[in-house]
Amino acid sequence: MHKALVIKELRESAGIVALACLGAAYALAELTATPLVPWQSSRLYHYPFVSDSLSFYFALVAGGLATALGLKQTAWELVQGTTYFLFHRPVSRWRIVSYKLTIGAALLLLVSALLVLIYAWWAAIPGHFEAPFYWSMTFPAWRMWIAMPPVYFGAFLAGIRPGGWIGSRLLPLVAGILFAISAASMPWFWLSALISVAASAVLLVGVFYYVYQRDY
């Protein structure tokens, strides 16, 4: 049963992850001046990790993936009736939701980390641009990376709690985004991680509260 739950989550998340990977590929093509589509330039006009558009593309790809995954695993499954089926299986709700959260968070962190790592690997290869590259230049990108989990947990909580969509239901997602912006804005990685972990913990408390209190 547990293996089946893991396979189910991976299979049903595959489409969203694939779209995020396509978005990441487009972003990398734009950042590295390696055009994939006709309107992308083949000339590099920026300094990687210093004066580029990585923050914008990272927010779109990672933020979009976090939001889509969180809502897909909750609101979509509620509409489809999958949640009611799962919560009446001989497995505790805590374990089912834990599988969902672990897989969703892992996919988010993996895909967003690959975006940074592939770009950094390209920038570290001599000859790609006329300036020195230091791995310390990637620190702001890693602060954005560690700040993403609250967005995912906020979307998950928004999808699983009752309420009107045009009203209070989306507040956890808004809060998660604000937490992420705050964490990414910190000057030190450890402080960004601390804010992200604390915000994630608060949102997770809300998730499990509604999982056990809501009548399914």
Side-chain angles (χ1 to χ4, degrees):
M1 183 65 180
H2 304 300
K3 181 180 178 181
L5 286 172
V6 172
I7 294 174
K8 167 196 170 297
E9 291 302 324
L10 290 174
R11 184 182 67 251
E12 294 186 353
S13 301
I16 295 173
V17 172
L19 286 175
C21 289
L22 286 175
Y26 180 92
L28 287 170
E30 189 75 19
L31 293 167
T32 61
T34 309
L36 292 178
V37 289
W39 57 82
Q40 289 183 310
S41 174
S42 59
R43 295 186 62 184
L44 190 66
Y45 295 100
H46 53 258
Y47 196 146
F49 291 99
V50 175
S51 60
D52 58 12
S53 303
L54 177 62
S55 298
F56 171 75
Y57 287 116
F58 189 91
L60 284 181
V61 173
L65 176 60
T67 303
L69 272 179
L71 294 177
K72 167 65 175 63
Q73 290 178 310
T74 51
W76 176 255
E77 292 197 356
L78 279 169
V79 172
Q80 297 297 308
T82 309
T83 301
Y84 304 103
F85 174 79
L86 290 175
F87 282 178
H88 287 84
R89 297 297 89 196
V91 182
S92 67
R93 291 184 181 182
W94 183 90
R95 190 174 296 274
I96 291 171
V97 174
S98 295
Y99 279 137
K100 286 178 172 289
L101 291 167
T102 301
I103 292 170
L107 290 173
L108 166 65
L109 292 176
L110 176 62
V111 172
S112 55
L114 285 175
L115 172 57
V116 178
L117 286 172
I118 293 173
Y119 186 35
W121 169 76
W122 175 88
I125 296 176
H128 280 164
F129 61 99
E130 299 177 356
F133 172 78
Y134 303 97
W135 283 93
S136 59
M137 293 157 54
T138 66
F139 287 171
W142 292 118
R143 287 199 297 270
M144 291 189 296
W145 174 77
I146 199 64
M148 278 296 123
V151 180
Y152 166 69
F153 294 130
F156 197 100
L157 178 54
I160 210 164
R161 69 191 293 265
W165 287 106
I166 304 178
S168 64
R169 190 166 183 176
L170 288 175
L171 287 180
L173 176 56
V174 174
I177 293 172
L178 293 177
F179 280 130
I181 293 173
S182 175
S185 302
M186 293 298 106
W188 303 290
F189 182 84
W190 67 267
L191 186 55
S192 298
L194 181 62
I195 293 173
S196 181
V197 170
S200 297
V202 171
L203 293 166
L204 285 172
V205 168
V207 166
F208 285 102
Y209 170 81
Y210 282 106
V211 165
Y212 281 102
Q213 293 299 319
R214 189 172 178 182
D215 185 20
Y216 291 96

